[in-house]
Short mmCIF file of all heavy atoms in Angstrom, two decimals:
data_model
loop_
_atom_site.label_atom_id
_atom_site.label_comp_id
_atom_site.label_asym_id
_atom_site.label_seq_id
_atom_site.Cartn_x
_atom_site.Cartn_y
_atom_site.Cartn_z
N ILE A 81 -60.52 -87.35 20.65
CA ILE A 81 -61.36 -88.42 20.09
C ILE A 81 -60.85 -88.84 18.72
O ILE A 81 -60.93 -90.01 18.35
CB ILE A 81 -62.83 -87.97 20.03
CG1 ILE A 81 -63.34 -87.61 21.42
CG2 ILE A 81 -63.70 -89.05 19.42
CD1 ILE A 81 -63.23 -88.72 22.43
N ALA A 82 -60.30 -87.87 17.97
CA ALA A 82 -59.78 -88.19 16.64
C ALA A 82 -58.60 -89.15 16.70
O ALA A 82 -58.28 -89.81 15.71
CB ALA A 82 -59.38 -86.91 15.91
N GLN A 83 -57.93 -89.24 17.84
CA GLN A 83 -56.78 -90.14 17.98
C GLN A 83 -57.18 -91.57 18.32
O GLN A 83 -56.34 -92.46 18.35
CB GLN A 83 -55.84 -89.62 19.07
CG GLN A 83 -55.21 -88.27 18.78
CD GLN A 83 -54.22 -87.87 19.85
OE1 GLN A 83 -53.53 -88.71 20.43
NE2 GLN A 83 -54.13 -86.58 20.12
N ALA A 84 -58.47 -91.80 18.58
CA ALA A 84 -58.92 -93.14 18.97
C ALA A 84 -58.84 -94.10 17.78
O ALA A 84 -59.08 -93.72 16.63
CB ALA A 84 -60.33 -93.08 19.52
N ASP A 85 -58.50 -95.32 18.06
CA ASP A 85 -58.41 -96.37 17.03
C ASP A 85 -59.70 -97.18 17.04
O ASP A 85 -60.17 -97.62 18.09
CB ASP A 85 -57.22 -97.29 17.31
CG ASP A 85 -55.90 -96.54 17.28
OD1 ASP A 85 -55.76 -95.65 16.44
OD2 ASP A 85 -55.02 -96.86 18.11
N GLU A 86 -60.25 -97.41 15.84
CA GLU A 86 -61.45 -98.24 15.71
C GLU A 86 -61.03 -99.67 15.38
O GLU A 86 -60.21 -99.90 14.49
CB GLU A 86 -62.38 -97.70 14.63
CG GLU A 86 -63.69 -98.45 14.54
CD GLU A 86 -64.71 -97.76 13.65
OE1 GLU A 86 -64.48 -96.58 13.30
OE2 GLU A 86 -65.72 -98.38 13.32
N VAL A 87 -61.59 -100.64 16.08
CA VAL A 87 -61.23 -102.05 15.92
C VAL A 87 -62.48 -102.83 15.55
O VAL A 87 -63.49 -102.79 16.29
CB VAL A 87 -60.60 -102.62 17.21
CG1 VAL A 87 -60.23 -104.09 17.01
CG2 VAL A 87 -59.38 -101.81 17.61
N ASP A 88 -62.43 -103.53 14.43
CA ASP A 88 -63.50 -104.44 14.03
C ASP A 88 -64.85 -103.74 13.89
O ASP A 88 -65.91 -104.37 14.05
CB ASP A 88 -63.59 -105.59 15.03
CG ASP A 88 -64.37 -106.78 14.47
OD1 ASP A 88 -64.40 -106.92 13.24
OD2 ASP A 88 -64.94 -107.56 15.27
N SER A 89 -64.83 -102.43 13.66
CA SER A 89 -66.05 -101.63 13.51
C SER A 89 -66.96 -101.70 14.74
O SER A 89 -68.13 -101.32 14.68
CB SER A 89 -66.86 -102.10 12.27
OG SER A 89 -66.10 -101.93 11.11
N ARG A 90 -66.41 -102.17 15.88
CA ARG A 90 -67.22 -102.30 17.10
C ARG A 90 -66.62 -101.59 18.30
O ARG A 90 -67.34 -101.26 19.24
CB ARG A 90 -67.40 -103.79 17.45
CG ARG A 90 -68.21 -104.59 16.44
CD ARG A 90 -68.38 -106.02 16.91
NE ARG A 90 -69.04 -106.06 18.21
CZ ARG A 90 -68.54 -106.65 19.29
NH1 ARG A 90 -67.35 -107.24 19.22
NH2 ARG A 90 -69.20 -106.66 20.43
N PHE A 91 -65.30 -101.39 18.28
CA PHE A 91 -64.63 -100.84 19.45
C PHE A 91 -63.90 -99.54 19.10
O PHE A 91 -63.37 -99.40 17.99
CB PHE A 91 -63.61 -101.83 20.03
CG PHE A 91 -64.18 -103.19 20.32
CD1 PHE A 91 -63.89 -104.27 19.51
CD2 PHE A 91 -65.00 -103.40 21.41
CE1 PHE A 91 -64.40 -105.52 19.77
CE2 PHE A 91 -65.52 -104.64 21.69
CZ PHE A 91 -65.22 -105.71 20.86
N LEU A 92 -63.85 -98.64 20.07
CA LEU A 92 -62.98 -97.46 20.01
C LEU A 92 -62.09 -97.49 21.23
O LEU A 92 -62.57 -97.67 22.36
CB LEU A 92 -63.81 -96.17 19.98
CG LEU A 92 -64.29 -95.65 18.63
CD1 LEU A 92 -65.12 -94.39 18.81
CD2 LEU A 92 -63.13 -95.38 17.68
N GLN A 93 -60.79 -97.29 21.02
CA GLN A 93 -59.85 -97.32 22.12
C GLN A 93 -58.64 -96.47 21.76
O GLN A 93 -58.41 -96.15 20.59
CB GLN A 93 -59.40 -98.75 22.42
CG GLN A 93 -58.57 -99.36 21.29
CD GLN A 93 -58.18 -100.80 21.55
OE1 GLN A 93 -58.97 -101.70 21.34
NE2 GLN A 93 -56.95 -100.98 22.00
N PHE A 94 -57.87 -96.11 22.78
CA PHE A 94 -56.64 -95.37 22.57
C PHE A 94 -55.45 -96.29 22.78
O PHE A 94 -55.52 -97.25 23.56
CB PHE A 94 -56.56 -94.18 23.54
CG PHE A 94 -57.54 -93.10 23.25
CD1 PHE A 94 -58.72 -93.02 23.97
CD2 PHE A 94 -57.30 -92.17 22.25
CE1 PHE A 94 -59.64 -92.02 23.71
CE2 PHE A 94 -58.22 -91.16 21.98
CZ PHE A 94 -59.39 -91.09 22.71
N GLU A 95 -54.38 -95.98 22.08
CA GLU A 95 -53.15 -96.75 22.26
C GLU A 95 -52.69 -96.62 23.71
O GLU A 95 -52.58 -95.51 24.24
CB GLU A 95 -52.07 -96.24 21.31
CG GLU A 95 -50.79 -97.05 21.35
CD GLU A 95 -49.76 -96.54 20.36
OE1 GLU A 95 -50.08 -95.61 19.59
OE2 GLU A 95 -48.64 -97.08 20.35
N GLY A 96 -52.45 -97.72 24.33
CA GLY A 96 -52.08 -97.73 25.74
C GLY A 96 -53.04 -98.52 26.60
O GLY A 96 -52.74 -98.83 27.75
N GLY A 97 -54.23 -98.85 26.03
CA GLY A 97 -55.10 -99.76 26.73
C GLY A 97 -56.18 -99.11 27.57
O GLY A 97 -56.57 -97.96 27.39
N LEU A 98 -56.63 -99.89 28.55
CA LEU A 98 -57.80 -99.53 29.35
C LEU A 98 -57.59 -98.25 30.14
O LEU A 98 -58.46 -97.35 30.13
CB LEU A 98 -58.13 -100.69 30.30
CG LEU A 98 -59.23 -100.44 31.33
CD1 LEU A 98 -60.54 -100.11 30.66
CD2 LEU A 98 -59.37 -101.65 32.25
N SER A 99 -56.48 -98.12 30.84
CA SER A 99 -56.29 -96.97 31.74
C SER A 99 -56.30 -95.65 30.98
O SER A 99 -56.96 -94.68 31.39
CB SER A 99 -54.98 -97.12 32.52
OG SER A 99 -55.02 -98.25 33.36
N ILE A 100 -55.57 -95.59 29.84
CA ILE A 100 -55.51 -94.34 29.07
C ILE A 100 -56.86 -94.05 28.43
O ILE A 100 -57.33 -92.90 28.42
CB ILE A 100 -54.39 -94.42 28.03
CG1 ILE A 100 -53.02 -94.46 28.73
CG2 ILE A 100 -54.47 -93.25 27.06
CD1 ILE A 100 -51.86 -94.55 27.78
N THR A 101 -57.51 -95.08 27.88
CA THR A 101 -58.82 -94.86 27.26
C THR A 101 -59.83 -94.36 28.29
O THR A 101 -60.59 -93.42 28.02
CB THR A 101 -59.32 -96.16 26.61
OG1 THR A 101 -58.32 -96.66 25.71
CG2 THR A 101 -60.60 -95.92 25.83
N ALA A 102 -59.84 -94.97 29.47
CA ALA A 102 -60.76 -94.53 30.52
C ALA A 102 -60.43 -93.11 30.98
O ALA A 102 -61.32 -92.30 31.26
CB ALA A 102 -60.71 -95.51 31.70
N LEU A 103 -59.12 -92.80 31.06
CA LEU A 103 -58.71 -91.46 31.49
C LEU A 103 -59.24 -90.39 30.54
O LEU A 103 -59.78 -89.36 30.96
CB LEU A 103 -57.18 -91.39 31.57
CG LEU A 103 -56.59 -90.05 32.01
CD1 LEU A 103 -56.78 -89.84 33.50
CD2 LEU A 103 -55.10 -89.98 31.64
N VAL A 104 -59.09 -90.62 29.23
CA VAL A 104 -59.51 -89.63 28.24
C VAL A 104 -61.03 -89.50 28.22
O VAL A 104 -61.58 -88.38 28.24
CB VAL A 104 -58.99 -90.00 26.84
CG1 VAL A 104 -59.53 -89.03 25.79
CG2 VAL A 104 -57.46 -90.01 26.83
N VAL A 105 -61.74 -90.64 28.19
CA VAL A 105 -63.20 -90.58 28.07
C VAL A 105 -63.83 -90.01 29.34
O VAL A 105 -64.72 -89.16 29.28
CB VAL A 105 -63.77 -91.98 27.74
CG1 VAL A 105 -65.29 -91.94 27.68
CG2 VAL A 105 -63.20 -92.48 26.43
#
């Protein structure tokens, strides 16, 4: 979770997009 990037104070995501973020979460 510490590797997640915060965007616009509204989103958390991982580098690599939807598939990697969904895989981790």
Side-chain angles (χ1 to χ4, degrees):
I81 300 302
Q83 297 184 34
D85 298 322
E86 185 170 347
V87 180
D88 197 25
S89 299
R90 294 183 58 236
F91 306 106
L92 273 179
Q93 67 183 80
F94 291 99
E95 185 178 356
L98 173 61
S99 296
I100 293 180
T101 306
L103 180 75
V104 175
V105 177

